[in-house]
């Protein structure tokens, strides 16, 4: 099927079945004409066809539907061919809890709706009360299927790249899944930052909230927007939002009756080829120069991404764990100056080892991840980027602004991608805080507080290089980032205080505690606090909190484990390496490493960019200058003129 459809098509052996554009009432006429062996069927039907096309055209030009100023795409089933894939996973997951629903019925009942709405339907219509863990089971299985089977909708990349008017995506999927699907199919960069998830609004589809929110963020009135949807829930949401809705039936999940369902829900037109929309909406395609064919699923176009890990310490082991349990990646080599440590890590993870970075960079590895101590990031990062490798670097990007700028300069000259591993961005609690902040429910940010502290065990026993770091470099980068990231504002002024003594007496000459008050460009004020001297008897090694107040509301976040143990002491177990009992590395600290591999495979720019790392390092340098000089420090004193760096300064 291609072009327009009325959703009531009937199979035929005619060479040119033009009667398919007719309403069902005219099908009888066609059969009569065929039975009487009419010589020229086209001629006989020409008046009917012309009238049907005219009626379709008139629908698109009603006075209350002005020319489109914005195209809002659903994602699953419109841009990426994921609906049948996802519905199959849902059907399989439901079967494990004794609820056997065929894939076709899952497509019909659950396409385009949230997990919460699906559970409501299961309880109401099937008498099934889904267990709490079902959502995670489905999420993990869908993600795995994405990496091996996901494909782009045919023509989607060409259509999007040729659009001459603003566009965005608004989906029922959670933000992480939405971005993953776009990344794997090579569409992420075309849409960011205009990517909107139903998690950002009070109600998902079929409520109109997500489409209204997207239009508001894009600065377009609802009546000037066109929604492209493949689900009844999505079409209903678009209609309720007062938008023009075009149904799409080009996905593999769309059966013979799908178009009729979308029309019945209120779609003004139904297409199976996105390119048809140019003429329907009277749009002129933008001429683009294309050097490559349309992207497809990365799993179909390339082998696993070869990765080298530089640094075989505690966090280097986390990098290796993340990579060895991830099919799209191949851990090729671990590099460390300490030969015995490099050998031990290689034996543990089943890969090669080296003590020579130049040797590693001369190999065929595509990605280099850097997990060296904080003060040793610059040299391996610059060398890897100059060698044309893609680089993931642990926070902080560097411990001086000059080193950070050198790394960003190497990124520009080498051509590889650079990402800073601010892994708190992948923690469910912080992702939730980010979603609330960007939804607008909290209003304009006004003030807040963030704390990340460790017990004294970390600098005295866990790390061997604590004196070369400090709470400002080991802890504060996370807090600087998880404040700047959700409020989407840049820092303007820093005023800080710090204390020394406890650790110095133990031979570790660094700050015990630091408090930094940061004023952002919108006048919001945040106090950030880090300490390295919490007593070892504290219930957990890490104490992490975030408070954010806005003009319309606020939020509080406490990153505390849920497992409380009472043995020789009251405590919550801590481990930076989280393995399931089934041997797979699982947890937010692994996800950004895998995410970067996905970005490299798909050729899309990652979040948590080098510029983000530079700003955070500058915030810490300003903190240290403020303590040393006992005065507020303006950020431009630290950053200077960054206009020559040639980097993107906007938020992802």
């Amino acid at each position: 099927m291609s072009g327009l459809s009325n959703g009531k098509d009937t199979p035929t052996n005619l060479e040119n079945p033009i009667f398919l554009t007719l309403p069902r009432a005219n099908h009888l006429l066609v059969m009569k004409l065929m039975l009487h062996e009419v010589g020229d069927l086209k001629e006989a039907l020409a008046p009917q066809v012309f009238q049907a096309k005219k009626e379709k055209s008139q629908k698109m030009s009603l006075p209350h539907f002005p020319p489109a100023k914005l195209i809002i795409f659903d994602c699953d089933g419109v841009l990426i061919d994921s609906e049948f894939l996802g519905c199959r996973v849902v059907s399989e997951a439901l079967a494990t809890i004794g609820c056997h629903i065929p894939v076709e019925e899952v497509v019909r009942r659950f396409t385009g709706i949230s997990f919460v709405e699906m559970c409501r339907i299961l309880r109401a219509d099937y008498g099934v009360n889904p267990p709490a863990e079902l959502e995670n089971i489905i999420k993990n299985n869908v993600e795995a299927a994405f990496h091996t089977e996901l494909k782009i909708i045919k023509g989607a990349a060409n259509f999007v790249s040729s659009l001459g008017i603003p566009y965005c995506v608004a989906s029922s999927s959670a933000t992480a899944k939405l971005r993953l699907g776009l990344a794997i199919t090579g569409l992420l960069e075309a849409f960011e930052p205009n990517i909107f998830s139903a998690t950002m609004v009070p109600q998902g589809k079929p409520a109109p909230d997500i489409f209204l929110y997207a239009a508001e963020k894009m600065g377009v009135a609802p009546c000037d927007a066109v929604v492209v949807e493949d689900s009844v829930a999505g079409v209903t949401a678009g209609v309720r939002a007062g938008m023009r809705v075009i149904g799409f039936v080009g996905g593999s999940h769309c059966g013979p009756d799908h178009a009729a369902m979308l029309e019945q829900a209120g779609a003004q037109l139904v297409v199976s080829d996105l390119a048809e929309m140019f003429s329907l909406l009277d749009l002129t395609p933008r001429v683009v120069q294309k050097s490559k064919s349309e992207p497809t699923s990365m799993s179909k176009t390339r082998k696993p991404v070869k990765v080298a890990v530089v640094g075989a310490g505690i966090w280097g082991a986390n990098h290796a764990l993340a990579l060895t349990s991830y099919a799209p990646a191949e851990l090729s080599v671990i590099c460390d100056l300490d030969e015995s440590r490099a050998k031990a890590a290689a034996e543990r993870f089943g890969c090669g080892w080296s003590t020579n970075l130049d040797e590693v960079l001369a190999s065929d590895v595509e990605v280099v991840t850097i997990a060296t101590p904080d003060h040793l990031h610059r040299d391996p990062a610059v060398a890897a980027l100059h060698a044309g490798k893609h680089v993931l670097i642990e926070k902080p990007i560097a411990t001086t602004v000059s080193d950070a700028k050198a790394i960003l300069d190497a990124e520009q000259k080498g051509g590889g991608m650079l990402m800073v591993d601010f892994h708190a961005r992948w923690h469910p609690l912080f992702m939730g805080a980010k979603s609330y902040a960007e939804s607008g429910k909290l209003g304009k940010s006004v003030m807040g507080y963030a704390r990340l502290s460790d017990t004294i065990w970390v600098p005295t026993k866990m790390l061997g290089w604590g004196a070369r770091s400090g709470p400002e470099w080991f802890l504060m980068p996370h807090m600087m980032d998880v404040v700047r990231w959700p409020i989407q504002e840049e820092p303007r002024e820093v005023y800080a205080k710090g204390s020394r003594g406890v650790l110095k007496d133990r031979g570790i000459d660094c700050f015990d505690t630091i408090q930094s008050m940061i004023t952002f460009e919108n006048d919001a004020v945040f106090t950030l606090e880090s300490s390295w001297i919490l007593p070892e008897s504290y219930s957990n090694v890490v104490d992490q909190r975030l408070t954010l107040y806005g003009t319309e509301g606020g939020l509080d976040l406490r990153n505390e484990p849920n497992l409380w143990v009472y043995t020789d002491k009251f405590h919550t177990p801590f481990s930076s390496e989280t393995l399931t009992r089934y041997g797979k590395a699982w947890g937010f600290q692994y996800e950004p490493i895998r995410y970067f591999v996905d970005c490299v495979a798909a050729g899309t720019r990652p979040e948590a960019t080098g510029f983000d790392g530079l700003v955070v390092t500058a915030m810490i340098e300003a903190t240290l200058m403020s303590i040393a000089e006992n005065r507020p420090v303006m950020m431009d004193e630290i950053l200077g003129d960054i206009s020559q760096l040639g980097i993107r300064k906007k938020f992802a």
Side-chain angles (χ1 to χ4, degrees):
M1 189 193 306
S2 64
L4 293 177
S5 165
N6 73 340
K8 308 172 180 66
D9 303 346
T10 303
T12 177
N13 291 322
L14 291 174
E15 182 179 351
N16 191 354
I18 60 173
F19 72 95
L20 295 183
T21 61
L22 297 174
R24 186 183 293 275
N26 290 309
H27 288 186
L28 181 59
L29 171 62
V30 174
M31 296 305 296
K32 288 181 178 179
L33 289 168
M34 292 174 66
L35 290 171
H36 286 83
E37 298 181 346
V38 175
D40 193 340
L41 186 58
K42 286 186 182 180
E43 184 178 340
L45 290 177
Q48 300 271 5
V49 173
F50 176 80
Q51 182 61 29
K53 288 183 176 178
K54 181 179 179 182
E55 290 172 359
K56 289 279 188 180
S57 176
Q58 287 174 342
K59 279 187 178 182
M60 294 302 295
S61 59
L62 292 174
H64 59 283
F65 285 135
K69 296 181 181 178
L70 171 69
I71 306 292
I72 303 178
F73 294 92
D74 178 42
C75 182
D76 297 287
V78 173
L79 298 171
I80 62 177
D81 202 3
S82 56
E83 287 291 13
F84 188 84
L85 193 61
C87 289
R88 188 197 73 207
V89 169
V90 169
S91 177
E92 293 169 351
L94 290 175
T96 66
I97 62 170
C99 180
H100 299 278
I101 304 177
V103 176
E104 294 75 17
E105 188 173 345
V106 172
V107 170
R108 182 173 59 85
R109 296 300 307 273
F110 302 139
T111 297
I113 64 175
S114 67
F115 179 78
V116 172
E117 177 65 8
M118 184 183 81
C119 289
R120 185 194 66 78
I121 294 173
L122 288 171
R123 285 189 289 267
D125 296 355
Y126 295 88
V128 174
N129 189 24
E133 63 269 19
L134 181 65
E135 182 173 15
N136 276 335
I137 292 173
I138 292 174
K139 173 183 174 295
N140 292 335
N141 290 350
V142 166
E143 182 176 322
F146 269 25
H147 284 298
T148 57
E149 301 177 57
L150 184 63
K151 295 181 180 179
I152 194 172
I153 290 288
K154 184 179 179 181
N158 290 335
F159 179 72
V160 169
S161 65
S162 301
L163 274 177
I165 64 172
Y167 59 88
C168 64
V169 61
S171 169
S172 293
S173 294
T175 303
K177 174 177 174 286
L178 175 56
R179 294 182 66 85
L180 175 65
L182 293 173
I184 289 175
T185 52
L187 291 172
L188 181 60
E189 191 165 4
F191 279 92
E192 63 179 358
N194 303 319
I195 299 171
F196 307 107
S197 164
T199 59
M200 301 174 182
V201 295
Q203 299 183 85
K205 305 170 188 177
D209 301 27
I210 182 58
F211 291 139
L212 293 173
Y213 176 73
E216 178 185 359
K217 289 295 183 181
M218 297 296 292
V220 173
C223 62
D224 291 330
V226 170
V227 168
V228 186
E229 262 287 357
D230 70 303
S231 71
V232 170
V235 170
T236 303
V239 171
R240 290 177 178 175
M243 299 176 179
R244 192 178 346 176
V245 182
I246 295 179
F248 182 73
V249 293
S252 61
H253 64 294
C254 298
D257 298 328
H258 202 86
M261 291 165 54
L262 300 184
E263 284 190 335
Q264 187 174 3
Q268 279 76 40
L269 284 172
V270 178
V271 302
S272 63
D273 185 344
L274 292 172
E276 291 288 333
M277 291 172 54
F278 281 120
S279 59
L280 298 176
L281 299 176
D282 196 24
L283 299 174
T284 302
R286 181 168 59 89
V287 178
V288 293
Q289 298 295 325
K290 300 186 74 64
S291 58
K292 296 186 293 185
S293 60
E294 185 174 289
T296 57
S297 170
M298 67 180 182
S299 64
K300 301 297 183 182
T301 59
R302 62 174 301 151
K303 297 178 180 178
V305 175
K306 285 192 174 183
V307 186
V309 174
V310 178
I314 296 172
W315 215 257
N318 276 338
H319 283 224
L321 278 170
L323 296 165
T324 53
S325 58
Y326 194 52
E330 177 187 334
L331 177 59
S332 179
V333 60
I334 293 177
C335 181
D336 196 286
L337 293 176
D338 186 324
E339 181 176 326
S340 62
R341 189 160 60 178
K343 283 183 177 179
E347 183 177 344
R348 176 184 175 188
F349 297 109
C351 64
W353 64 273
S354 176
T355 59
N356 188 325
L357 181 61
D358 290 337
E359 178 182 87
V360 172
L361 298 182
S363 72
D364 61 350
V365 298
E366 298 175 72
V367 170
V368 174
T369 72
I370 297 174
T372 55
D374 298 340
H375 61 287
L376 298 176
H377 286 177
R378 171 180 170 151
D379 289 349
V382 169
L385 289 165
H386 279 158
K389 309 299 184 181
H390 305 292
V391 172
L392 171 68
I393 188 169
E394 278 301 320
K395 63 78 204 163
I397 187 173
T399 54
T400 67
V401 166
S402 61
D403 282 357
K405 287 183 176 180
I407 293 171
L408 266 65
D409 182 64
E411 177 192 14
Q412 293 299 311
K413 292 177 179 177
M417 293 190 293
L418 172 66
M419 175 177 149
V420 181
D421 185 8
F422 290 118
H423 55 252
R425 292 191 183 197
W426 278 261
H427 192 292
L429 293 177
F430 288 106
M431 287 194 292
K434 164 73 170 175
S435 294
Y436 270 100
E438 67 185 359
S439 72
K441 295 175 185 177
L442 306 182
K444 175 188 172 184
S445 56
V446 176
M447 64 170 287
Y449 168 77
R451 178 166 86 217
L452 177 58
S453 295
D454 285 341
T455 67
I456 199 168
W457 172 82
V458 170
T460 60
K461 298 178 182 178
M462 184 179 113
L463 301 178
W465 41 270
R468 298 295 303 271
S469 182
E472 70 273 28
W473 295 115
F474 194 73
L475 298 174
M476 292 193 95
H478 288 305
M479 291 296 93
M480 302 286 191
D481 188 64
V482 296
V483 168
R484 178 177 168 269
W485 180 48
I487 71 171
Q488 299 283 273
E489 294 288 342
E490 297 292 11
R492 183 176 69 227
E493 179 187 279
V494 177
Y495 184 59
K497 292 289 184 179
S499 65
R500 293 173 180 262
V502 176
L503 289 171
K504 188 174 182 179
D505 289 344
R506 298 194 181 197
I508 302 172
D509 190 6
C510 66
F511 281 101
D512 296 332
T513 62
I514 292 179
Q515 285 190 330
S516 184
M517 186 171 71
I518 300 173
T519 304
F520 287 85
E521 292 291 355
N522 69 337
D523 295 324
V525 179
F526 279 76
T527 300
L528 281 72
E529 171 185 289
S530 285
S531 171
W532 248 4
I533 60 168
L534 297 185
E536 284 195 55
S537 58
Y538 191 74
S539 62
N540 190 263
V541 173
V542 177
D543 179 21
Q544 188 171 26
R545 313 195 178 200
L546 173 68
T547 298
L548 193 160
Y549 295 119
T551 54
E552 305 296 328
L555 61 83
D556 269 311
L557 181 159
R558 295 187 180 187
N559 181 17
E560 297 177 341
N562 293 319
L563 177 61
W564 301 88
V565 179
Y566 315 92
T567 53
D568 58 323
K569 65 176 182 177
F570 169 68
H571 67 289
T572 56
F574 170 80
S575 173
S576 64
E577 295 182 2
T578 306
L579 293 177
T580 67
R581 64 182 297 142
Y582 313 106
K584 182 178 180 181
W586 180 87
F588 70 94
Q589 65 267 44
Y590 303 114
E591 290 310 303
I593 301 164
R594 294 164 176 163
Y595 163 81
F596 187 64
V597 169
D598 292 340
C599 290
V600 170
T604 57
R605 179 180 46 77
E607 285 200 30
T609 63
F611 181 75
D612 295 321
L614 170 65
V615 173
V616 165
T617 291
M619 292 166 75
I620 298 171
E621 200 164 289
T623 293
L624 296 175
M625 180 182 286
S626 177
I627 294 172
E629 300 181 8
N630 194 28
R631 67 174 179 89
V633 174
M634 304 303 294
M635 285 297 295
D636 56 12
E637 295 181 58
I638 303 298
L639 280 172
D641 182 11
I642 59 174
S643 62
Q644 303 304 313
L645 289 175
I647 52 179
R648 188 179 65 91
K649 302 171 191 173
K650 298 297 181 182
F651 292 90

